[in-house]
Amino acid sequence: MSKDCGNHGGGKEAAVRRICAAIIAFILIVLITIFLVWVILRPTKPKFILQDATVFAFNLTQPNLLTSNFQVTIATRNPNSKIGIYYDRLHVYATYRNQQITLRTAIPPTYQGHKEDNVWSPFIYGTAVPVAPYNAVALGNEQGGGYVTLMIRADGRVRWKVGTLITGKYHIHVRCMALIKLGNKASGVIVGENAVKYTFPNNNKCSVNV
């Protein structure tokens, strides 16, 4: 008869524990490294500027239906010298007093390198969009004064690239105020039969939250 020392099971359990401990230690080292790189480099969120808006249509009809068609130009800059930015998803649209008045237009996914600039010119539009009665009154009053105040928004997700490391996805929210003088075509540039391009000041910076 052979003698069973009873240590075989214990040896396997110890080996499993050592493997698990090694895996956990490796994960912790990787996470600590990413955290230290992140803290040392201090990534800065991208900067956005609304440069212009070309208005093809902006008509408020009864009962409180708004049809609009714009092409907006948005410039963005990555201010980081050692960090790249992946724009995995970004949708641009317009709102009036927190009410969405156009469909969302997708910006193609792109990578923005160190200190790099990008310029996007998406079309945003909405056909017979119902507007809340109180917003329709306010919009009518503004149009009567020869202007309209819109908010051009961009929402999506970004990732940061530090060397060969790429972070998880972060939500990005961009808000650009647009004061458009619809009642004065001379304040813009006529680019078609019914289209007028309005240029905004260089300091028309957008708020960005990541």
Side-chain angles (χ1 to χ4, degrees), residues 57 96 99 131 139-140 148 168 178 200:
Y96 179 75
Q99 181 179 355
V131 179
L139 184 57
V148 62
F200 302 110

Side-chain angles (χ1 to χ4, degrees), residues 95-99 134-135 138-139 142 149-151 153:
T95 63
Y96 179 75
R97 296 198 171 194
N98 294 321
Q99 181 179 355
Y134 53 88
N135 280 342
L139 184 57
E142 286 193 2
T149 306
L150 302 179
M151 186 73 73
R153 303 191 178 201

Side-chain angles (χ1 to χ4, degrees), residues 191-209:
V191 294
E193 287 188 17
N194 299 311
V196 182
K197 182 177 182 178
Y198 298 93
T199 302
F200 302 110
N202 291 331
N203 60 354
N204 193 22
K205 297 179 180 180
C206 309
S207 65
V208 180
N209 292 310

Side-chain angles (χ1 to χ4, degrees), residues 50 53-54 56-57 68-72 74 91-95 101-107 121-126 150-153:
L50 180 63
T54 301
F56 296 91
S68 59
N69 189 352
F70 303 90
Q71 183 180 24
V72 296
I74 300 174
H91 291 93
V92 180
Y93 58 102
T95 63
I101 59 172
T102 69
L103 299 173
R104 294 171 179 255
T105 298
I107 299 295
S121 297
F123 284 89
I124 53 177
Y125 60 91
L150 302 179
M151 186 73 73
I152 306 301
R153 303 191 178 201

